Amino acid sequence: MAAAKHKYSILLPTYNERRNLPIITYLLEQTFSQAGLDWELIIVDDGSPDGTQTVANQLIKAYNTRGAGGERIKLKPRAGKLGLGTAYVHGLQFVTGDFVVIMDADFSHHPKFLPVMIEKQREADYDIVTGTRYAGDGGVYGWDLKRKLVSRGANLVADTVLRPGVSDLTGSFRLYKRGVLEKVIKATESKGYSFQMEMMVRAKAMGFKVAECPITFVDRLYGESKLGGEEIAEYLKGVFNLWYKV
Amino acid sequence: MTRAQQTLSIGLLLSSIYMVAFLGLAPLPEKLQTDVIPVLPFWAIVTFGAYLLAKLGYGVLTFNDVPQAHQELVKQIEQARVELKKKGVEVN
C-alpha cells in the first residue's frame, strides 16, 4: 500500500461555468502540484451555450503537456442537459485514476481541502471521505438566517428520518475510491437534488467506510435563493423515498 | 432491512408494550396507571417535538460563519485571473 502510486481524478459536470471553470482549474493545479500528487480533471459539459467548452479547450492548451501523465485536463462533453447522475457515469468512463473526486465547479468547494481529505482517506483506507459543513470547524459563508434555518431544518429531517451517520447528507464534496463510486452510482435511482443524498445513504447501506472532513463552503450566490417551496417539497419527497427504499 | 422497516418494527414494539400498560394487563402502581400511562403518548410527542425544535435552534445559533474563507477566495481569484490571462485563457 505504501509504495502504490495514486492518481486523483476530478469529475466536474458543468453547465454554463465559463467564468468559474478557469479559476477552479487554476486552484486545482496549484493544490495538486504543491502537494505533489498525481491528478487529472475530467470536464463533462452538457452542451453549455455560454462558451464553457471554448474555455475548457483554452485550459487544455494551457495546462496539458506531452508525455506520460501530461493529459491533465480532459473535456468530454455531451449534447445537452442529461442530468447529474448520467454525467458522472459518462465521466467515469474516462477516469484513469484510482480515486475520484466529486465537487462543484463554482468554487463553493475549495480544492485546498483535497489534500486534507486525501490524508484522511489514508488514515484508515476509507472508501469515501465526505466534506461536512456542519461538524468540526466546517462552515459556510454567505447564508442569511433564512437559508441557515432551511439548511439546518433539512438536515434535521434527513437525520431523524434516515439516521445516516454523517453530519452533512446533502453535501457534494466527496472523495471516492473509484470502484466504490461505480458501485454506488449503479445502485442510485434519484434525480436532481436527492441524488447526492441517495448516494451517501446507499453507500452506508452497502457497508462502505465513510469518513468526514470539515470544509468551508463559500456560497457566491448572493441573495439568489434557489430554495423555493417547490424545492423543499422535492427534498422532503426525496428523503421519504429513501426512508422507504433503502 | 430498510429504514422504513426498522422504524415500523420499533414503532410496533413500543406500541405493543404501551398497549399492555394501557389496558392494565401488567401490574403497575396505581399512580402510574391512572396519571401517567394515559397521557404518555402525548407527552412523548410533545417532548420529541420540543427536542427537535431545540436542536434546530441550537444548530442555527451555532452555525459557523466563515468570512475569512470568502476573503481568501477573493484574493485567490484575483491571482488566478492574472496567471490565466498569461496562459491565454479568457477570464472575466
Side-chain angles (χ1 to χ4, degrees), chain B residues 36-72:
Chain B
V36 176
I37 297 292
V39 294
L40 200 57
F42 307 106
W43 175 88
I45 291 173
V46 170
T47 307
F48 186 57
Y51 168 70
L52 287 180
L53 239 88
K55 237 177 145 181
L56 181 64
Y58 180 72
V60 174
L61 278 174
T62 57
F63 214 108
N64 195 13
D65 281 310
V66 286
Q68 64 275 25
H70 173 77
Q71 285 158 10
E72 187 192 347

PDB file of all heavy atoms in Angstrom, chain B residues 36-72:
ATOM      1  N   VAL B  36     -50.134   8.534  34.696  1.00  0.00           N
ATOM      2  CA  VAL B  36     -49.027   8.635  33.723  1.00  0.00           C
ATOM      3  C   VAL B  36     -49.326   7.940  32.397  1.00  0.00           C
ATOM      4  O   VAL B  36     -49.206   8.534  31.337  1.00  0.00           O
ATOM      5  CB  VAL B  36     -47.727   8.065  34.340  1.00  0.00           C
ATOM      6  CG1 VAL B  36     -46.610   8.063  33.308  1.00  0.00           C
ATOM      7  CG2 VAL B  36     -47.322   8.876  35.554  1.00  0.00           C
ATOM      8  N   ILE B  37     -49.742   6.677  32.499  1.00  0.00           N
ATOM      9  CA  ILE B  37     -49.891   5.872  31.277  1.00  0.00           C
ATOM     10  C   ILE B  37     -50.823   6.496  30.233  1.00  0.00           C
ATOM     11  O   ILE B  37     -50.470   6.556  29.063  1.00  0.00           O
ATOM     12  CB  ILE B  37     -50.351   4.436  31.630  1.00  0.00           C
ATOM     13  CG1 ILE B  37     -49.296   3.732  32.468  1.00  0.00           C
ATOM     14  CG2 ILE B  37     -50.640   3.655  30.370  1.00  0.00           C
ATOM     15  CD1 ILE B  37     -48.017   3.407  31.756  1.00  0.00           C
ATOM     16  N   PRO B  38     -52.013   6.974  30.639  1.00  0.00           N
ATOM     17  CA  PRO B  38     -52.934   7.505  29.616  1.00  0.00           C
ATOM     18  C   PRO B  38     -52.349   8.677  28.825  1.00  0.00           C
ATOM     19  O   PRO B  38     -52.669   8.855  27.655  1.00  0.00           O
ATOM     20  CB  PRO B  38     -54.164   7.960  30.424  1.00  0.00           C
ATOM     21  CG  PRO B  38     -54.074   7.227  31.702  1.00  0.00           C
ATOM     22  CD  PRO B  38     -52.634   7.019  31.993  1.00  0.00           C
ATOM     23  N   VAL B  39     -51.526   9.501  29.455  1.00  0.00           N
ATOM     24  CA  VAL B  39     -51.031  10.683  28.732  1.00  0.00           C
ATOM     25  C   VAL B  39     -49.635  10.493  28.153  1.00  0.00           C
ATOM     26  O   VAL B  39     -49.078  11.392  27.526  1.00  0.00           O
ATOM     27  CB  VAL B  39     -51.018  11.936  29.647  1.00  0.00           C
ATOM     28  CG1 VAL B  39     -52.431  12.313  30.019  1.00  0.00           C
ATOM     29  CG2 VAL B  39     -50.187  11.707  30.873  1.00  0.00           C
ATOM     30  N   LEU B  40     -49.075   9.321  28.361  1.00  0.00           N
ATOM     31  CA  LEU B  40     -47.696   9.083  27.911  1.00  0.00           C
ATOM     32  C   LEU B  40     -47.450   9.364  26.429  1.00  0.00           C
ATOM     33  O   LEU B  40     -46.479  10.033  26.090  1.00  0.00           O
ATOM     34  CB  LEU B  40     -47.305   7.633  28.258  1.00  0.00           C
ATOM     35  CG  LEU B  40     -45.807   7.335  28.323  1.00  0.00           C
ATOM     36  CD1 LEU B  40     -45.113   8.230  29.328  1.00  0.00           C
ATOM     37  CD2 LEU B  40     -45.580   5.881  28.697  1.00  0.00           C
ATOM     38  N   PRO B  41     -48.322   8.899  25.529  1.00  0.00           N
ATOM     39  CA  PRO B  41     -48.068   9.169  24.096  1.00  0.00           C
ATOM     40  C   PRO B  41     -48.016  10.662  23.786  1.00  0.00           C
ATOM     41  O   PRO B  41     -47.139  11.107  23.047  1.00  0.00           O
ATOM     42  CB  PRO B  41     -49.254   8.520  23.385  1.00  0.00           C
ATOM     43  CG  PRO B  41     -49.803   7.560  24.355  1.00  0.00           C
ATOM     44  CD  PRO B  41     -49.513   8.091  25.711  1.00  0.00           C
ATOM     45  N   PHE B  42     -48.944  11.429  24.350  1.00  0.00           N
ATOM     46  CA  PHE B  42     -48.966  12.861  24.071  1.00  0.00           C
ATOM     47  C   PHE B  42     -47.706  13.521  24.603  1.00  0.00           C
ATOM     48  O   PHE B  42     -47.071  14.338  23.942  1.00  0.00           O
ATOM     49  CB  PHE B  42     -50.196  13.519  24.703  1.00  0.00           C
ATOM     50  CG  PHE B  42     -51.467  12.835  24.324  1.00  0.00           C
ATOM     51  CD1 PHE B  42     -52.140  12.034  25.239  1.00  0.00           C
ATOM     52  CD2 PHE B  42     -51.979  12.965  23.044  1.00  0.00           C
ATOM     53  CE1 PHE B  42     -53.302  11.387  24.889  1.00  0.00           C
ATOM     54  CE2 PHE B  42     -53.141  12.315  22.690  1.00  0.00           C
ATOM     55  CZ  PHE B  42     -53.805  11.521  23.607  1.00  0.00           C
ATOM     56  N   TRP B  43     -47.352  13.128  25.804  1.00  0.00           N
ATOM     57  CA  TRP B  43     -46.143  13.664  26.428  1.00  0.00           C
ATOM     58  C   TRP B  43     -44.925  13.350  25.574  1.00  0.00           C
ATOM     59  O   TRP B  43     -44.049  14.188  25.364  1.00  0.00           O
ATOM     60  CB  TRP B  43     -46.017  13.071  27.829  1.00  0.00           C
ATOM     61  CG  TRP B  43     -44.755  13.448  28.527  1.00  0.00           C
ATOM     62  CD1 TRP B  43     -44.532  14.543  29.285  1.00  0.00           C
ATOM     63  CD2 TRP B  43     -43.525  12.723  28.504  1.00  0.00           C
ATOM     64  NE1 TRP B  43     -43.245  14.554  29.756  1.00  0.00           N
ATOM     65  CE2 TRP B  43     -42.605  13.449  29.294  1.00  0.00           C
ATOM     66  CE3 TRP B  43     -43.103  11.526  27.918  1.00  0.00           C
ATOM     67  CZ2 TRP B  43     -41.299  13.018  29.503  1.00  0.00           C
ATOM     68  CZ3 TRP B  43     -41.802  11.100  28.117  1.00  0.00           C
ATOM     69  CH2 TRP B  43     -40.915  11.849  28.900  1.00  0.00           C
ATOM     70  N   ALA B  44     -44.888  12.120  25.069  1.00  0.00           N
ATOM     71  CA  ALA B  44     -43.750  11.708  24.256  1.00  0.00           C
ATOM     72  C   ALA B  44     -43.668  12.536  22.981  1.00  0.00           C
ATOM     73  O   ALA B  44     -42.585  12.994  22.595  1.00  0.00           O
ATOM     74  CB  ALA B  44     -43.860  10.227  23.912  1.00  0.00           C
ATOM     75  N   ILE B  45     -44.802  12.757  22.347  1.00  0.00           N
ATOM     76  CA  ILE B  45     -44.808  13.527  21.099  1.00  0.00           C
ATOM     77  C   ILE B  45     -44.375  14.957  21.344  1.00  0.00           C
ATOM     78  O   ILE B  45     -43.553  15.514  20.622  1.00  0.00           O
ATOM     79  CB  ILE B  45     -46.213  13.506  20.447  1.00  0.00           C
ATOM     80  CG1 ILE B  45     -46.509  12.096  19.934  1.00  0.00           C
ATOM     81  CG2 ILE B  45     -46.301  14.507  19.308  1.00  0.00           C
ATOM     82  CD1 ILE B  45     -47.912  11.923  19.420  1.00  0.00           C
ATOM     83  N   VAL B  46     -44.940  15.564  22.389  1.00  0.00           N
ATOM     84  CA  VAL B  46     -44.593  16.957  22.690  1.00  0.00           C
ATOM     85  C   VAL B  46     -43.109  17.079  23.033  1.00  0.00           C
ATOM     86  O   VAL B  46     -42.422  17.982  22.566  1.00  0.00           O
ATOM     87  CB  VAL B  46     -45.463  17.505  23.844  1.00  0.00           C
ATOM     88  CG1 VAL B  46     -44.946  18.850  24.305  1.00  0.00           C
ATOM     89  CG2 VAL B  46     -46.911  17.618  23.404  1.00  0.00           C
ATOM     90  N   THR B  47     -42.626  16.160  23.844  1.00  0.00           N
ATOM     91  CA  THR B  47     -41.209  16.207  24.225  1.00  0.00           C
ATOM     92  C   THR B  47     -40.319  16.045  23.004  1.00  0.00           C
ATOM     93  O   THR B  47     -39.337  16.767  22.837  1.00  0.00           O
ATOM     94  CB  THR B  47     -40.884  15.092  25.228  1.00  0.00           C
ATOM     95  OG1 THR B  47     -41.791  15.178  26.309  1.00  0.00           O
ATOM     96  CG2 THR B  47     -39.471  15.223  25.747  1.00  0.00           C
ATOM     97  N   PHE B  48     -40.661  15.106  22.148  1.00  0.00           N
ATOM     98  CA  PHE B  48     -39.877  14.884  20.948  1.00  0.00           C
ATOM     99  C   PHE B  48     -39.878  16.122  20.062  1.00  0.00           C
ATOM    100  O   PHE B  48     -38.848  16.537  19.544  1.00  0.00           O
ATOM    101  CB  PHE B  48     -40.430  13.676  20.191  1.00  0.00           C
ATOM    102  CG  PHE B  48     -39.607  13.272  19.010  1.00  0.00           C
ATOM    103  CD1 PHE B  48     -38.263  12.954  19.162  1.00  0.00           C
ATOM    104  CD2 PHE B  48     -40.155  13.230  17.729  1.00  0.00           C
ATOM    105  CE1 PHE B  48     -37.484  12.600  18.072  1.00  0.00           C
ATOM    106  CE2 PHE B  48     -39.386  12.869  16.640  1.00  0.00           C
ATOM    107  CZ  PHE B  48     -38.058  12.555  16.812  1.00  0.00           C
ATOM    108  N   GLY B  49     -41.069  16.727  19.915  1.00  0.00           N
ATOM    109  CA  GLY B  49     -41.172  17.947  19.122  1.00  0.00           C
ATOM    110  C   GLY B  49     -40.311  19.055  19.692  1.00  0.00           C
ATOM    111  O   GLY B  49     -39.595  19.746  18.959  1.00  0.00           O
ATOM    112  N   ALA B  50     -40.358  19.199  21.016  1.00  0.00           N
ATOM    113  CA  ALA B  50     -39.564  20.240  21.667  1.00  0.00           C
ATOM    114  C   ALA B  50     -38.077  19.969  21.476  1.00  0.00           C
ATOM    115  O   ALA B  50     -37.290  20.887  21.227  1.00  0.00           O
ATOM    116  CB  ALA B  50     -39.907  20.299  23.153  1.00  0.00           C
ATOM    117  N   TYR B  51     -37.708  18.713  21.558  1.00  0.00           N
ATOM    118  CA  TYR B  51     -36.308  18.326  21.368  1.00  0.00           C
ATOM    119  C   TYR B  51     -35.823  18.696  19.970  1.00  0.00           C
ATOM    120  O   TYR B  51     -34.751  19.273  19.799  1.00  0.00           O
ATOM    121  CB  TYR B  51     -36.161  16.825  21.617  1.00  0.00           C
ATOM    122  CG  TYR B  51     -34.850  16.244  21.186  1.00  0.00           C
ATOM    123  CD1 TYR B  51     -33.671  16.539  21.856  1.00  0.00           C
ATOM    124  CD2 TYR B  51     -34.786  15.395  20.072  1.00  0.00           C
ATOM    125  CE1 TYR B  51     -32.462  16.010  21.449  1.00  0.00           C
ATOM    126  CE2 TYR B  51     -33.587  14.867  19.659  1.00  0.00           C
ATOM    127  CZ  TYR B  51     -32.427  15.172  20.352  1.00  0.00           C
ATOM    128  OH  TYR B  51     -31.235  14.649  19.928  1.00  0.00           O
ATOM    129  N   LEU B  52     -36.650  18.397  18.980  1.00  0.00           N
ATOM    130  CA  LEU B  52     -36.272  18.716  17.601  1.00  0.00           C
ATOM    131  C   LEU B  52     -36.121  20.218  17.410  1.00  0.00           C
ATOM    132  O   LEU B  52     -35.186  20.695  16.784  1.00  0.00           O
ATOM    133  CB  LEU B  52     -37.306  18.173  16.619  1.00  0.00           C
ATOM    134  CG  LEU B  52     -37.316  16.671  16.410  1.00  0.00           C
ATOM    135  CD1 LEU B  52     -38.396  16.298  15.403  1.00  0.00           C
ATOM    136  CD2 LEU B  52     -35.971  16.180  15.928  1.00  0.00           C
ATOM    137  N   LEU B  53     -37.061  20.966  17.968  1.00  0.00           N
ATOM    138  CA  LEU B  53     -37.006  22.417  17.846  1.00  0.00           C
ATOM    139  C   LEU B  53     -35.762  22.978  18.496  1.00  0.00           C
ATOM    140  O   LEU B  53     -35.107  23.876  17.972  1.00  0.00           O
ATOM    141  CB  LEU B  53     -38.236  23.060  18.496  1.00  0.00           C
ATOM    142  CG  LEU B  53     -39.053  23.892  17.507  1.00  0.00           C
ATOM    143  CD1 LEU B  53     -40.058  23.012  16.823  1.00  0.00           C
ATOM    144  CD2 LEU B  53     -39.739  25.039  18.205  1.00  0.00           C
ATOM    145  N   ALA B  54     -35.428  22.421  19.668  1.00  0.00           N
ATOM    146  CA  ALA B  54     -34.228  22.884  20.358  1.00  0.00           C
ATOM    147  C   ALA B  54     -32.998  22.592  19.523  1.00  0.00           C
ATOM    148  O   ALA B  54     -32.100  23.425  19.383  1.00  0.00           O
ATOM    149  CB  ALA B  54     -34.131  22.199  21.720  1.00  0.00           C
ATOM    150  N   LYS B  55     -32.978  21.396  18.937  1.00  0.00           N
ATOM    151  CA  LYS B  55     -31.855  21.019  18.086  1.00  0.00           C
ATOM    152  C   LYS B  55     -31.721  21.977  16.909  1.00  0.00           C
ATOM    153  O   LYS B  55     -30.623  22.389  16.543  1.00  0.00           O
ATOM    154  CB  LYS B  55     -32.094  19.598  17.543  1.00  0.00           C
ATOM    155  CG  LYS B  55     -30.987  18.618  17.863  1.00  0.00           C
ATOM    156  CD  LYS B  55     -31.343  17.241  17.349  1.00  0.00           C
ATOM    157  CE  LYS B  55     -30.100  16.516  16.863  1.00  0.00           C
ATOM    158  NZ  LYS B  55     -30.390  15.193  16.341  1.00  0.00           N
ATOM    159  N   LEU B  56     -32.852  22.334  16.333  1.00  0.00           N
ATOM    160  CA  LEU B  56     -32.862  23.246  15.196  1.00  0.00           C
ATOM    161  C   LEU B  56     -32.324  24.615  15.592  1.00  0.00           C
ATOM    162  O   LEU B  56     -31.450  25.175  14.943  1.00  0.00           O
ATOM    163  CB  LEU B  56     -34.282  23.380  14.642  1.00  0.00           C
ATOM    164  CG  LEU B  56     -34.443  24.277  13.432  1.00  0.00           C
ATOM    165  CD1 LEU B  56     -33.688  23.714  12.246  1.00  0.00           C
ATOM    166  CD2 LEU B  56     -35.909  24.441  13.083  1.00  0.00           C
ATOM    167  N   GLY B  57     -32.864  25.125  16.719  1.00  0.00           N
ATOM    168  CA  GLY B  57     -32.428  26.432  17.186  1.00  0.00           C
ATOM    169  C   GLY B  57     -30.942  26.459  17.493  1.00  0.00           C
ATOM    170  O   GLY B  57     -30.210  27.363  17.087  1.00  0.00           O
ATOM    171  N   TYR B  58     -30.491  25.422  18.165  1.00  0.00           N
ATOM    172  CA  TYR B  58     -29.084  25.315  18.512  1.00  0.00           C
ATOM    173  C   TYR B  58     -28.226  25.291  17.250  1.00  0.00           C
ATOM    174  O   TYR B  58     -27.193  25.952  17.172  1.00  0.00           O
ATOM    175  CB  TYR B  58     -28.849  24.054  19.342  1.00  0.00           C
ATOM    176  CG  TYR B  58     -27.405  23.862  19.755  1.00  0.00           C
ATOM    177  CD1 TYR B  58     -26.824  24.669  20.725  1.00  0.00           C
ATOM    178  CD2 TYR B  58     -26.630  22.877  19.152  1.00  0.00           C
ATOM    179  CE1 TYR B  58     -25.501  24.495  21.084  1.00  0.00           C
ATOM    180  CE2 TYR B  58     -25.308  22.697  19.510  1.00  0.00           C
ATOM    181  CZ  TYR B  58     -24.750  23.511  20.480  1.00  0.00           C
ATOM    182  OH  TYR B  58     -23.445  23.346  20.815  1.00  0.00           O
ATOM    183  N   GLY B  59     -28.692  24.509  16.281  1.00  0.00           N
ATOM    184  CA  GLY B  59     -27.952  24.402  15.030  1.00  0.00           C
ATOM    185  C   GLY B  59     -27.815  25.736  14.326  1.00  0.00           C
ATOM    186  O   GLY B  59     -26.754  26.066  13.801  1.00  0.00           O
ATOM    187  N   VAL B  60     -28.892  26.503  14.330  1.00  0.00           N
ATOM    188  CA  VAL B  60     -28.842  27.804  13.660  1.00  0.00           C
ATOM    189  C   VAL B  60     -27.957  28.784  14.431  1.00  0.00           C
ATOM    190  O   VAL B  60     -27.171  29.523  13.863  1.00  0.00           O
ATOM    191  CB  VAL B  60     -30.260  28.389  13.482  1.00  0.00           C
ATOM    192  CG1 VAL B  60     -30.192  29.791  12.933  1.00  0.00           C
ATOM    193  CG2 VAL B  60     -31.080  27.504  12.562  1.00  0.00           C
ATOM    194  N   LEU B  61     -28.065  28.747  15.751  1.00  0.00           N
ATOM    195  CA  LEU B  61     -27.275  29.665  16.569  1.00  0.00           C
ATOM    196  C   LEU B  61     -25.784  29.392  16.453  1.00  0.00           C
ATOM    197  O   LEU B  61     -24.973  30.310  16.463  1.00  0.00           O
ATOM    198  CB  LEU B  61     -27.702  29.543  18.040  1.00  0.00           C
ATOM    199  CG  LEU B  61     -28.941  30.331  18.442  1.00  0.00           C
ATOM    200  CD1 LEU B  61     -29.331  30.003  19.880  1.00  0.00           C
ATOM    201  CD2 LEU B  61     -28.683  31.824  18.312  1.00  0.00           C
ATOM    202  N   THR B  62     -25.441  28.119  16.390  1.00  0.00           N
ATOM    203  CA  THR B  62     -24.021  27.779  16.386  1.00  0.00           C
ATOM    204  C   THR B  62     -23.483  27.630  14.975  1.00  0.00           C
ATOM    205  O   THR B  62     -22.405  27.086  14.766  1.00  0.00           O
ATOM    206  CB  THR B  62     -23.758  26.463  17.142  1.00  0.00           C
ATOM    207  OG1 THR B  62     -24.548  25.441  16.521  1.00  0.00           O
ATOM    208  CG2 THR B  62     -24.099  26.589  18.588  1.00  0.00           C
ATOM    209  N   PHE B  63     -24.231  28.093  14.002  1.00  0.00           N
ATOM    210  CA  PHE B  63     -23.792  27.980  12.623  1.00  0.00           C
ATOM    211  C   PHE B  63     -22.464  28.708  12.436  1.00  0.00           C
ATOM    212  O   PHE B  63     -22.316  29.848  12.822  1.00  0.00           O
ATOM    213  CB  PHE B  63     -24.839  28.595  11.693  1.00  0.00           C
ATOM    214  CG  PHE B  63     -24.937  27.873  10.394  1.00  0.00           C
ATOM    215  CD1 PHE B  63     -26.042  27.092  10.115  1.00  0.00           C
ATOM    216  CD2 PHE B  63     -23.926  27.959   9.459  1.00  0.00           C
ATOM    217  CE1 PHE B  63     -26.141  26.414   8.909  1.00  0.00           C
ATOM    218  CE2 PHE B  63     -24.015  27.281   8.270  1.00  0.00           C
ATOM    219  CZ  PHE B  63     -25.130  26.506   7.987  1.00  0.00           C
ATOM    220  N   ASN B  64     -21.538  28.023  11.826  1.00  0.00           N
ATOM    221  CA  ASN B  64     -20.197  28.593  11.690  1.00  0.00           C
ATOM    222  C   ASN B  64     -20.089  29.458  10.443  1.00  0.00           C
ATOM    223  O   ASN B  64     -20.079  28.956   9.324  1.00  0.00           O
ATOM    224  CB  ASN B  64     -19.196  27.431  11.637  1.00  0.00           C
ATOM    225  CG  ASN B  64     -17.779  27.886  11.862  1.00  0.00           C
ATOM    226  OD1 ASN B  64     -17.546  29.018  12.286  1.00  0.00           O
ATOM    227  ND2 ASN B  64     -16.821  27.025  11.568  1.00  0.00           N
ATOM    228  N   ASP B  65     -20.014  30.761  10.628  1.00  0.00           N
ATOM    229  CA  ASP B  65     -19.791  31.661   9.501  1.00  0.00           C
ATOM    230  C   ASP B  65     -18.303  31.795   9.237  1.00  0.00           C
ATOM    231  O   ASP B  65     -17.528  31.914  10.181  1.00  0.00           O
ATOM    232  CB  ASP B  65     -20.361  33.057   9.803  1.00  0.00           C
ATOM    233  CG  ASP B  65     -21.858  33.096   9.612  1.00  0.00           C
ATOM    234  OD1 ASP B  65     -22.326  32.646   8.558  1.00  0.00           O
ATOM    235  OD2 ASP B  65     -22.550  33.562  10.532  1.00  0.00           O
ATOM    236  N   VAL B  66     -17.932  31.794   7.983  1.00  0.00           N
ATOM    237  CA  VAL B  66     -16.501  31.834   7.688  1.00  0.00           C
ATOM    238  C   VAL B  66     -16.144  32.953   6.716  1.00  0.00           C
ATOM    239  O   VAL B  66     -15.789  32.693   5.561  1.00  0.00           O
ATOM    240  CB  VAL B  66     -16.003  30.469   7.156  1.00  0.00           C
ATOM    241  CG1 VAL B  66     -15.927  29.453   8.258  1.00  0.00           C
ATOM    242  CG2 VAL B  66     -16.913  29.952   6.041  1.00  0.00           C
ATOM    243  N   PRO B  67     -16.221  34.196   7.171  1.00  0.00           N
ATOM    244  CA  PRO B  67     -15.884  35.306   6.281  1.00  0.00           C
ATOM    245  C   PRO B  67     -14.446  35.262   5.781  1.00  0.00           C
ATOM    246  O   PRO B  67     -14.151  35.709   4.675  1.00  0.00           O
ATOM    247  CB  PRO B  67     -16.130  36.542   7.152  1.00  0.00           C
ATOM    248  CG  PRO B  67     -16.139  36.061   8.552  1.00  0.00           C
ATOM    249  CD  PRO B  67     -16.583  34.651   8.520  1.00  0.00           C
ATOM    250  N   GLN B  68     -13.558  34.694   6.598  1.00  0.00           N
ATOM    251  CA  GLN B  68     -12.148  34.659   6.194  1.00  0.00           C
ATOM    252  C   GLN B  68     -11.960  33.752   4.978  1.00  0.00           C
ATOM    253  O   GLN B  68     -11.104  33.998   4.137  1.00  0.00           O
ATOM    254  CB  GLN B  68     -11.245  34.207   7.349  1.00  0.00           C
ATOM    255  CG  GLN B  68     -11.467  32.784   7.838  1.00  0.00           C
ATOM    256  CD  GLN B  68     -12.576  32.671   8.860  1.00  0.00           C
ATOM    257  OE1 GLN B  68     -13.493  33.497   8.917  1.00  0.00           O
ATOM    258  NE2 GLN B  68     -12.512  31.645   9.676  1.00  0.00           N
ATOM    259  N   ALA B  69     -12.793  32.718   4.884  1.00  0.00           N
ATOM    260  CA  ALA B  69     -12.702  31.827   3.719  1.00  0.00           C
ATOM    261  C   ALA B  69     -13.078  32.596   2.459  1.00  0.00           C
ATOM    262  O   ALA B  69     -12.469  32.433   1.409  1.00  0.00           O
ATOM    263  CB  ALA B  69     -13.614  30.628   3.904  1.00  0.00           C
ATOM    264  N   HIS B  70     -14.073  33.453   2.591  1.00  0.00           N
ATOM    265  CA  HIS B  70     -14.509  34.252   1.465  1.00  0.00           C
ATOM    266  C   HIS B  70     -13.404  35.212   1.021  1.00  0.00           C
ATOM    267  O   HIS B  70     -13.100  35.323  -0.157  1.00  0.00           O
ATOM    268  CB  HIS B  70     -15.768  35.023   1.853  1.00  0.00           C
ATOM    269  CG  HIS B  70     -16.214  36.003   0.826  1.00  0.00           C
ATOM    270  ND1 HIS B  70     -16.869  35.638  -0.320  1.00  0.00           N
ATOM    271  CD2 HIS B  70     -16.075  37.346   0.763  1.00  0.00           C
ATOM    272  CE1 HIS B  70     -17.138  36.695  -1.039  1.00  0.00           C
ATOM    273  NE2 HIS B  70     -16.663  37.750  -0.416  1.00  0.00           N
ATOM    274  N   GLN B  71     -12.790  35.872   2.001  1.00  0.00           N
ATOM    275  CA  GLN B  71     -11.724  36.836   1.670  1.00  0.00           C
ATOM    276  C   GLN B  71     -10.564  36.147   0.982  1.00  0.00           C
ATOM    277  O   GLN B  71     -10.024  36.631  -0.015  1.00  0.00           O
ATOM    278  CB  GLN B  71     -11.224  37.526   2.930  1.00  0.00           C
ATOM    279  CG  GLN B  71     -12.188  38.570   3.452  1.00  0.00           C
ATOM    280  CD  GLN B  71     -11.973  38.862   4.924  1.00  0.00           C
ATOM    281  OE1 GLN B  71     -10.989  38.423   5.524  1.00  0.00           O
ATOM    282  NE2 GLN B  71     -12.895  39.587   5.510  1.00  0.00           N
ATOM    283  N   GLU B  72     -10.191  35.017   1.548  1.00  0.00           N
ATOM    284  CA  GLU B  72      -9.084  34.241   0.981  1.00  0.00           C
ATOM    285  C   GLU B  72      -9.393  33.874  -0.468  1.00  0.00           C
ATOM    286  O   GLU B  72      -8.554  33.995  -1.360  1.00  0.00           O
ATOM    287  CB  GLU B  72      -8.902  32.973   1.818  1.00  0.00           C
ATOM    288  CG  GLU B  72      -7.687  32.152   1.448  1.00  0.00           C
ATOM    289  CD  GLU B  72      -7.725  30.782   2.115  1.00  0.00           C
ATOM    290  OE1 GLU B  72      -8.551  30.613   3.031  1.00  0.00           O
ATOM    291  OE2 GLU B  72      -6.969  29.896   1.704  1.00  0.00           O
TER     292      GLU B  72
END
